[in-house]
Amino acid sequence: MLEIVDIDAGYGATKVLHGVSIPGSEKIVAVLGHNGAGKTTLLRATIGLIRPTRGAVLFDGEDITQLAPNRRVQRGMAYVAQGQLSFEQLTTMENLQLVADGRRGGKEKLAEMLERFPALAEFATRKAGLLSGGQRQQLAIARALITSPKLLILDEPTEGIQPSIVAEIEKTIIGLADEGLSVLLVEQHIGFAIEAAERYVVLASGRVTQSGAGGTAAVSTVREAMVI
């Protein structure tokens, strides 16, 4: 589905990523690393918010390195940025309708999201700015899923969220992968990320320092690799 090939990327004259590659995967790929390792930059390069200065981003076998973000979304990418982003002055339902309205099958997808995330149905008329952090993150994921993506890109989806909601979000991510959705996941909970992932990569200073197959057996190896 997604393959990253030897990309360099950064901001202006500042290079952040140095020859980063991620092999193709049909399920969950976890990207791990300490703060400043280049994880978010990698996701931004994947969705097209920054353009690599070298290398390629391949999606469904097509080189999309030069495509604008909206063209990537049209091809089946969806990006949930860090920070539980929403339109805070709009209600939960209005946030969802912004994406669903005018989209083929949008009404059905909106109804599906309310069923998948019961808290959103319960607080449909509440302004998004008054939701808890976990509820806002569920809203952000739901809005992305309304676009019917093939690849869901998630940046720290459980950061700063109460444990009970973390468990719900983790269950949702695994369920989506089981349903056939590919997921590129940056996640702070190493145990969950590695156990859920088909493959993982560890970044440090913008370089891949370790990669391999995911699963429970890999957790201790990755934890050791990430010790400062």
Side-chain angles (χ1 to χ4, degrees), residues 108-152:
E108 291 75 15
K109 291 297 294 185
L110 191 156
E112 179 186 328
M113 291 306 104
L114 294 177
E115 183 175 352
R116 187 182 290 275
F117 300 101
L120 301 185
E122 181 179 355
F123 299 113
T125 60
R126 179 174 294 183
K127 287 188 176 182
L130 299 178
L131 298 175
S132 70
Q135 291 160 355
R136 287 197 304 273
Q137 187 65 285
Q138 290 177 322
L139 176 57
I141 294 171
R143 289 173 57 205
L145 293 175
I146 286 175
T147 67
S148 300
K150 301 175 185 178
L151 171 69
L152 182 63

Side-chain angles (χ1 to χ4, degrees), residues 181-205:
L181 182 66
S182 294
V183 179
L184 180 60
L185 172 68
V186 166
E187 176 54 48
Q188 61 180 326
H189 291 102
I190 296 174
F192 158 68
I194 298 301
E195 288 175 6
E198 181 177 40
R199 297 196 62 83
Y200 72 88
V201 296
V202 177
L203 295 182
S205 300

Side-chain angles (χ1 to χ4, degrees), residues 8-16 41 49-53:
D8 293 351
Y11 307 91
T14 303
K15 186 186 292 188
V16 177
T41 299
L49 294 174
I50 60 174
R51 188 165 293 176
T53 56

Side-chain angles (χ1 to χ4, degrees), residues 163-179:
S164 61
I165 304 298
V166 167
E168 290 182 24
I169 290 175
E170 291 177 348
K171 182 179 178 181
T172 296
I173 293 169
I174 292 172
L176 290 168
D178 288 342
E179 292 168 17

Side-chain angles (χ1 to χ4, degrees), residues 16-187:
V16 177
L17 301 179
H18 307 267
V20 172
S21 294
I22 297 180
S25 172
E26 295 297 323
K27 294 187 177 181
I28 299 173
V29 175
V31 181
L32 303 142
H34 297 294
N35 290 339
K39 304 184 301 295
T40 294
T41 299
L42 176 62
L43 299 192
R44 289 171 62 84
T46 301
I47 195 62
L49 294 174
I50 60 174
R51 188 165 293 176
T53 56
R54 183 172 71 93
V57 179
L58 307 178
F59 187 58
D60 269 350
E62 179 185 359
D63 188 340
I64 62 167
T65 312
Q66 303 303 317
L67 288 186
N70 65 307
R71 300 287 300 279
R72 300 186 196 208
V73 171
Q74 291 170 0
R75 278 167 167 73
M77 288 185 171
Y79 177 44
V80 179
Q82 189 175 13
Q84 303 118 37
L85 301 180
S86 64
F87 296 100
E88 295 187 354
Q89 295 305 311
L90 300 181
T91 67
T92 297
M93 182 63 75
E94 288 167 342
N95 268 271
L96 296 171
Q97 287 174 328
L98 277 175
V99 183
D101 286 353
R103 184 178 298 276
R104 181 178 298 178
K107 184 176 180 180
E108 291 75 15
K109 291 297 294 185
L110 191 156
E112 179 186 328
M113 291 306 104
L114 294 177
E115 183 175 352
R116 187 182 290 275
F117 300 101
L120 301 185
E122 181 179 355
F123 299 113
T125 60
R126 179 174 294 183
K127 287 188 176 182
L130 299 178
L131 298 175
S132 70
Q135 291 160 355
R136 287 197 304 273
Q137 187 65 285
Q138 290 177 322
L139 176 57
I141 294 171
R143 289 173 57 205
L145 293 175
I146 286 175
T147 67
S148 300
K150 301 175 185 178
L151 171 69
L152 182 63
I153 303 169
L154 298 171
D155 194 354
E156 301 279 14
T158 66
E159 181 184 33
I161 294 174
Q162 58 269 41
S164 61
I165 304 298
V166 167
E168 290 182 24
I169 290 175
E170 291 177 348
K171 182 179 178 181
T172 296
I173 293 169
I174 292 172
L176 290 168
D178 288 342
E179 292 168 17
L181 182 66
S182 294
V183 179
L184 180 60
L185 172 68
V186 166
E187 176 54 48

